[in-house]
């Protein structure tokens, strides 16, 4: 794997993990679940901006201003894949250490019928839904599919055929 791909992927992973930890420590305990979720989505979006930045870096710095859709797709998918793998492990570790707190936190803003409906929904989930592996897979999938969308968008917007002679 090319060093520039690893550099962009690690940068995105570090940003995402730091923002997720900051969210859990500084936002989740003091604000509503919806506020924390909004911050989480913002963190995912900011971290995955490394995908179009990696495609642009390849086009401008490595390939003399030229990137085809296919090459942009390849670069973006490799970056996305590495970030998603990091988030798989983060999701697993987070659930191992904070899983019980997280399950209680999910219910913190709910009352009455809403609370009962959520408890019923959680009770209906299969046992494997509350395992670190499953939580890691969920994080991987979420990051991968958002990264895939940004990859497609970046590959379309940043593609070029090179200088016109």
């Amino acid at each position: 794997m090319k060093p520039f791909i690893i550099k962009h992927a690690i940068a995105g992973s570090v940003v995402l993990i730091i923002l997720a930890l900051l969210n859990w420590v500084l936002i989740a305990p003091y604000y509503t679940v919806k506020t924390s979720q909004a911050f989480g989505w913002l963190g995912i979006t900011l971290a995955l901006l490394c995908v179009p930045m990696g495609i642009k870096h390849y086009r401008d710095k490595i390939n003399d201003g030229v990137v085809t859709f296919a090459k942009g797709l390849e670069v973006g998918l490799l970056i996305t894949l590495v970030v998603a793998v990091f988030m798989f492990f983060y999701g697993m570790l987070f659930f191992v250490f904070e899983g019980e707190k997280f399950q209680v936190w999910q219910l913190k803003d709910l009352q009455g019928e809403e609370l009962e409906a959520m408890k019923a929904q959680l009770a209906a989930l299969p046992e494997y839904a509350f395992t670190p592996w499953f939580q890691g897979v969920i994080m991987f999938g979420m990051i991968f599919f958002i990264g895939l969308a940004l990859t497609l968008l970046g590959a379309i917007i940043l593609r070029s055929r090179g200088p016109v002679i």
Side-chain angles (χ1 to χ4, degrees):
M1 199 174 294
K2 305 283 184 195
F4 81 95
I5 290 174
I6 293 170
K7 180 179 106 178
H8 283 87
I10 289 176
S13 299
V14 168
V15 166
L16 190 51
I17 290 169
I18 287 173
L19 290 176
L21 290 172
L22 286 174
N23 185 10
W24 185 243
V25 172
L26 300 176
I27 307 280
Y30 306 109
Y31 297 94
T32 67
V33 171
K34 288 186 185 214
T35 302
S36 179
Q37 288 172 338
F39 186 84
W41 286 109
L42 177 66
I44 290 169
T45 304
L46 288 174
L48 286 175
L49 285 177
C50 68
V51 171
M53 288 174 24
I55 296 169
K56 185 178 183 317
H57 177 86
Y58 174 79
R59 181 191 71 189
D60 297 346
K61 306 279 188 214
I62 295 173
N63 210 36
D64 295 326
V66 178
V67 67
T68 62
F69 174 78
K71 191 62 178 179
L73 189 65
E74 178 188 338
V75 168
L77 283 177
L78 287 171
I79 294 169
T80 296
L81 187 61
V82 173
V83 175
V85 167
F86 270 90
M87 283 312 292
F88 169 79
F89 289 112
Y90 170 81
M92 282 181 48
L93 289 171
F94 179 83
F95 200 77
V96 165
F97 293 107
E98 297 292 323
E100 289 179 29
K101 279 181 168 178
F102 180 77
Q103 290 176 19
V104 170
W105 171 82
Q106 284 181 302
L107 306 173
K108 94 173 194 178
D109 295 333
L110 303 177
Q111 297 175 358
E113 290 178 18
E114 235 181 357
L115 178 61
E116 294 308 315
M118 179 61 97
K119 283 183 178 180
Q121 189 178 12
L122 290 172
L125 291 173
E127 278 188 45
Y128 66 81
F130 301 100
T131 64
W133 285 100
F134 185 78
Q135 296 301 316
V137 168
I138 294 296
M139 289 302 291
F140 176 91
M142 184 173 61
I143 298 305
F144 183 79
F145 287 112
I146 295 168
L148 176 62
L150 287 172
T151 295
L152 290 170
L153 192 61
I156 290 168
I157 292 172
L158 295 169
R159 72 181 170 189
S160 64
R161 305 211 191 302
V164 178
I165 300 175

